[in-house]
Amino acid sequence: MEELVDETPLRERFMASARSIRQALALAGTLILVLGVLIWIFLRDLETYSYIVMGIGLLVLVVDAAISFDAVRYAVFGRRGRYGLNTAIVLIAFVAIAVVLNFVIYWAVGRPDPPGFLRVDTTSTKQFIVSDQTLNTLKNLREPIDVIAFFRRNTPQRQAAWRATEDLLSEFRRRSTVQELNFRLVDPELEPNVATEYGITQFPSLAIEATESRRIEVIPGLNPNQGPNVFSEQDIITGLLVVNQIKQKTVIFISGHAVRDLLDDTRGGDGFSLAASALVRENYAIANETLQELGQRLQTNNPELFPAAIIFAGPTNDMTESEEGILLEYSRRGGNLLLLLEPESAPDSFKGFLTRYGVGVGEGTVVDTASYVAPNPSFLQVKNTNGQLPEHPLTEDFDVLYMPGATSFSYSIDPETIPLTDEGIPYVRQELVAISTLNSWAETDIENIEFQVEEDQGGPHPIAVAVEAVSEIGGSPRRDGDELLATQMVLVGDTDFASNAYFGSARNGDLFVNAVNYLADDYELITLRPKTVAFRELVLTESERNFVRWSGWLLMPILVALAGIWAWWRRR
């Protein structure tokens, strides 16, 4: 009977009986852990339950490790275990360093106004970082701003639109370092009273509110079903300008004299509706008046009615004597003028007006054989790389402008003979904004483009200039108290560059709006306008599509297999 007594210790008998379920526990724990991870990835609404499932899986694995203590100890402290432990330590250290480094970088780029080297946008239109114009606007905020975003998020399209808007507003909040800018989301179905309070009936919409003055600007968004970018950077800038300024500055397009039509919105036409809309987005009040109506404003002597700038968009008819007198009086009072002319059609009265300020308008059309849009050498391509954009606030950071036919400007008198004020300030001062290259000339016969040494004047030719004058050449300066009254002019030898047909080409629109900002003393707004998100579609032929398909399906696996076979052959 003694031989039948089992003297094996109780612990060893328990471990032997449990050995049969170790593999089942390991498999079950692993499967439960993987299931929890899958729930966390694909069913985010069940995120809390995924943690519970992953916890159960880890608990099962811990129990399995306790039952298999000897096997685990051998696996860890045995010969293979030591090698594996060293590898695990190296791997864990690498992952820990990567996690810490990633956290530090994430923290750094999330700080207000991070350095440029920390946040780099490699897209061509810089669509993931705000523009210089936005930074200038945020630096000039006078009070804190609250943005209330009204979004329905009951469809994938609306959810995607909110994520895109949230990213944009987060960037605004991050870069607003002078005044605090916050935003919050309101679901109009859950909080209908908030939408009613702001008078919002269209969704999505943004309500931009200045917290101290309580000025509010509501910006309706686009249809989320047509794309996630329902709000643009320019939309938010416009709202900020509206709530940040006490009153709008008035810019007048002078009508009459056969100028371009301000209301013509024909795409690809010569109207100026896009130019006017761009100024409205900059928070300017736009008016379309005659010079006689401008004279009535001047007669009131009301500073509130004095426009910040007036614009002549390609006049081709002369001014009357009384109209020229009104324009002179406006300039003498410190008014500002943007004058766009066309070659061979500039009226004599406008040329005579500019002559009073020492500015001459060239004859003919500028032709540039070194920088043009083929096949027409009179379609000027004004490039910074060619030195055609001298350093000036109007064209800072510009790369290229397009001017389809331009005239030139110059001094009408010797600059050395320009009179000086008692303070030593010249009556008139010209600054170059854009010029042609050395391979250019003023062509008087555009039908027969050929440079003739004896008849044509070689370049470079100024095709856009900025003029500051404290008096006419033959007049005397006026003063407002101790300050001189100075008129600012921006003269461009082309009108088509700002027309509907070319306003969106290169930096043409930026030059037009910058010129108005410059004349209206809104220097903080002189910069590049935000660009819209570019849609780039990859179009492949059938053979190209087949190459991409089969190279992805077969080429890479075959290369990996060949590399494995080669490694096996060397080691056999």
Side-chain angles (χ1 to χ4, degrees), residues 411-428:
Y411 276 103
S412 61
I413 61 173
D414 186 353
E416 298 295 331
T417 63
I418 294 177
L420 302 177
T421 65
D422 296 337
E423 297 88 346
I425 300 174
Y427 278 21
V428 176

Side-chain angles (χ1 to χ4, degrees), residues 347-480:
D348 291 337
S349 59
F350 285 90
K351 292 181 179 179
F353 170 78
L354 293 178
T355 302
R356 293 174 177 269
Y357 295 96
V359 180
V361 180
E363 298 294 333
T365 303
V366 177
V367 172
D368 195 335
T369 58
S371 186
Y372 65 95
V373 178
N376 188 355
S378 66
F379 195 128
L380 303 184
Q381 187 178 41
V382 185
K383 301 174 66 176
N384 186 38
T385 54
N386 291 340
Q388 296 177 261
L389 296 172
E391 185 175 348
H392 194 276
L394 289 178
T395 56
E396 185 177 357
D397 295 329
F398 278 24
D399 47 4
V400 63
L401 296 168
Y402 291 126
M403 293 192 178
T407 189
S408 60
F409 301 96
S410 62
Y411 276 103
S412 61
I413 61 173
D414 186 353
E416 298 295 331
T417 63
I418 294 177
L420 302 177
T421 65
D422 296 337
E423 297 88 346
I425 300 174
Y427 278 21
V428 176
R429 183 168 57 91
Q430 285 190 30
E431 293 180 340
L432 295 177
V433 175
I435 60 175
S436 59
T437 70
L438 289 171
N439 292 18
S440 65
W441 68 91
E443 179 61 66
T444 55
D445 185 5
I446 198 65
E447 300 297 330
N448 183 24
I449 298 178
E450 183 179 358
F451 180 64
Q452 300 177 2
V453 178
E454 297 181 355
E455 299 182 8
D456 297 326
Q457 182 180 359
H461 290 285
I463 53 180
V465 297
V467 178
E468 181 179 8
V470 296
S471 172
E472 304 156 53
I473 295 299
S476 58
R478 288 189 179 185
R479 296 179 180 272
D480 182 9

Side-chain angles (χ1 to χ4, degrees), residues 272-567:
F272 260 55
S273 63
L274 292 180
S277 299
L279 295 183
V280 171
R281 289 196 299 270
E282 299 280 306
N283 196 37
Y284 290 109
I286 303 301
N288 193 13
E289 300 179 0
T290 64
L291 280 173
Q292 286 81 3
E293 291 173 312
L294 175 64
Q296 293 174 4
R297 285 176 176 263
L298 299 180
Q299 289 177 0
T300 63
N301 292 319
N302 185 355
E304 298 292 330
L305 298 179
F306 195 83
I310 63 174
I311 301 173
F312 284 93
T316 55
N317 291 344
D318 278 304
M319 294 183 288
T320 64
E321 186 175 345
S322 62
E323 289 177 329
E324 187 173 355
I326 293 171
L327 184 58
L328 279 171
E329 181 62 22
Y330 173 72
S331 300
R332 290 166 180 168
R333 294 192 187 184
N336 303 306
L337 168 66
L338 172 58
L339 177 58
L340 313 181
L341 298 176
E342 281 290 289
E344 304 290 358
S345 62
D348 291 337
S349 59
F350 285 90
K351 292 181 179 179
F353 170 78
L354 293 178
T355 302
R356 293 174 177 269
Y357 295 96
V359 180
V361 180
E363 298 294 333
T365 303
V366 177
V367 172
D368 195 335
T369 58
S371 186
Y372 65 95
V373 178
N376 188 355
S378 66
F379 195 128
L380 303 184
Q381 187 178 41
V382 185
K383 301 174 66 176
N384 186 38
T385 54
N386 291 340
Q388 296 177 261
L389 296 172
E391 185 175 348
H392 194 276
L394 289 178
T395 56
E396 185 177 357
D397 295 329
F398 278 24
D399 47 4
V400 63
L401 296 168
Y402 291 126
M403 293 192 178
T407 189
S408 60
F409 301 96
S410 62
Y411 276 103
S412 61
I413 61 173
D414 186 353
E416 298 295 331
T417 63
I418 294 177
L420 302 177
T421 65
D422 296 337
E423 297 88 346
I425 300 174
Y427 278 21
V428 176
R429 183 168 57 91
Q430 285 190 30
E431 293 180 340
L432 295 177
V433 175
I435 60 175
S436 59
T437 70
L438 289 171
N439 292 18
S440 65
W441 68 91
E443 179 61 66
T444 55
D445 185 5
I446 198 65
E447 300 297 330
N448 183 24
I449 298 178
E450 183 179 358
F451 180 64
Q452 300 177 2
V453 178
E454 297 181 355
E455 299 182 8
D456 297 326
Q457 182 180 359
H461 290 285
I463 53 180
V465 297
V467 178
E468 181 179 8
V470 296
S471 172
E472 304 156 53
I473 295 299
S476 58
R478 288 189 179 185
R479 296 179 180 272
D480 182 9
D482 294 332
E483 295 185 2
L484 288 170
L485 289 176
T487 179
Q488 302 276 357
M489 303 181 193
V490 175
L491 312 176
V492 183
D494 179 42
T495 307
D496 293 322
F497 86 97
S499 65
N500 294 344
Y502 301 104
F503 190 82
S505 300
R507 298 299 183 188
N508 287 11
D510 291 328
L511 175 61
F512 178 83
V513 180
N514 280 0
V516 176
N517 295 152
Y518 177 82
L519 296 174
D521 291 333
D522 291 328
Y523 293 102
E524 70 276 5
L525 299 181
I526 300 176
T527 183
L528 306 184
R529 263 78 228 160
K531 297 298 179 181
T532 56
V533 178
F535 175 73
R536 293 180 174 84
E537 183 178 5
L538 179 62
V539 180
L540 301 176
T541 63
E542 184 176 0
S543 59
E544 292 171 338
R545 186 169 59 252
N546 289 333
F547 173 78
V548 172
R549 175 190 302 169
W550 295 113
S551 62
W553 287 358
L554 297 178
L555 181 59
M556 294 304 297
I558 290 174
L559 291 177
V560 173
L562 291 177
I565 294 173
W566 178 73

